[in-house]
Amino acid sequence: MAAFNVVLGCVMGVLIILFSISSIARYYIKFTLFVVLSLIFATLPILLMLYRPFDPRNALIPAALLKYSSRLLGIRWTVRGLENVDDSQGAVVLLNHQSSIDLIALAVLWPLMARCTVVSKRELQYLAPFGTASWLWGTVFIDRGARSAHSVLNQQSTAVREHKRKLLLFPEGTRHLSDKLLPFRKGAFHVAMDAQAPIQPVVVSKYHFLDADRPRFDSGEVIVTILPVIETKNLSEAYYSRKGQLANVK
């Protein structure tokens, strides 16, 4: 045991030194910490989730833990536009997609919007035990590019309309750290039109502290801005296709 403690102490000392002097080491250490904490916090309350499966409230404990643990990563979160949240009705909530760190952005938003449901790629469902926990808090899993994805998303219009769910999606479909938005996929807008529910744009400020190419993962502040809703009642999908307004929301 003494030898193990010595080895462990040496390893921790080396990691601390590397963390202090190397941006590359800091990048990989922080991302490893983020992944490990995400897995732990998501799976710890699984037994509690079994009492009310598929309930969005199951994510509240993991969200709170992940939000506050983000301080270990040196990330501060500021939310603006809370006055634009209307929990008396459902909505399709659209966010820009930058990095896997967006999971913390979802954790920040989850307790601020009642009855949240997030849409994720099918592969995540099989990433046990995180996928199991995600399934238990009501994540909607889709197969990208498959016809079944449209069917699954269309079914969510009922939940948005009748159960006043907030359906959170990344309409760009893939994460990136560039300064411009990627073209939006149409699935989110079909759901909003079918449910006659408003679209709630949410802008997550650029992660200036994060650079996967260099690589670099420093400390910084993220500003999450909840914008006023865009009503879809009595508007057709052809209207948005012609005007292209939603793709220009920033």
Side-chain angles (χ1 to χ4, degrees), residues 41-79:
F41 294 151
T43 56
L44 276 179
I46 278 184
L47 291 179
L48 295 176
M49 297 180 192
L50 294 175
Y51 286 99
R52 52 183 187 194
F54 319 121
D55 191 319
R57 291 174 295 177
N58 283 335
L60 290 176
I61 295 177
L65 292 172
L66 189 57
K67 175 186 174 183
Y68 288 110
S69 68
S70 66
R71 298 176 183 177
L72 295 175
L73 303 174
I75 306 175
R76 303 181 307 278
W77 297 83
T78 299
V79 179

Side-chain angles (χ1 to χ4, degrees), residues 51-227:
Y51 286 99
R52 52 183 187 194
F54 319 121
D55 191 319
R57 291 174 295 177
N58 283 335
L60 290 176
I61 295 177
L65 292 172
L66 189 57
K67 175 186 174 183
Y68 288 110
S69 68
S70 66
R71 298 176 183 177
L72 295 175
L73 303 174
I75 306 175
R76 303 181 307 278
W77 297 83
T78 299
V79 179
R80 299 173 179 172
L82 283 175
E83 68 278 5
N84 295 318
V85 177
D86 181 4
D87 285 333
S88 67
Q89 61 178 340
V92 176
V93 183
L94 305 185
L95 302 88
N96 53 308
H97 200 7
Q98 301 181 71
S99 163
S100 55
I101 299 296
D102 293 337
L103 181 62
I104 307 180
L106 294 177
V108 170
L109 288 171
W110 209 270
L112 303 179
M113 296 182 174
R115 302 173 298 278
C116 285
T117 300
V118 66
V119 175
S120 180
K121 58 184 179 180
R122 177 73 62 184
E123 292 89 334
L124 184 62
Q125 185 176 7
Y126 305 113
L127 183 63
F130 183 82
T132 304
S134 300
W135 178 66
L136 285 170
W137 65 58
T139 296
V140 179
F141 296 102
I142 61 172
D143 297 303
R144 288 182 178 177
R147 291 185 177 181
S148 60
H150 298 288
S151 175
V152 172
L153 285 178
N154 288 337
Q155 293 173 10
Q156 296 307 308
S157 62
T158 301
V160 172
R161 180 178 60 252
E162 298 182 4
H163 303 294
K164 300 178 182 180
R165 287 288 183 92
K166 297 288 195 304
L167 187 65
L168 279 62
L169 299 101
F170 298 104
E172 295 168 282
T174 186
R175 54 180 181 260
H176 66 100
L177 285 170
S178 64
D179 294 328
K180 295 183 179 180
L181 292 174
L182 297 178
F184 285 1
R185 299 185 179 186
K186 298 179 181 179
F189 307 118
H190 288 306
V191 174
M193 292 295 182
D194 189 39
Q196 288 291 280
I199 293 172
Q200 182 107 60
V202 174
V203 179
V204 181
S205 65
K206 184 175 174 61
Y207 300 153
H208 293 286
F209 52 86
L210 185 64
D211 189 336
D213 295 327
R214 294 179 60 172
R216 177 176 58 85
F217 192 161
D218 297 327
S219 299
E221 181 182 17
V222 181
I223 298 176
V224 179
T225 305
I226 304 171
L227 300 177

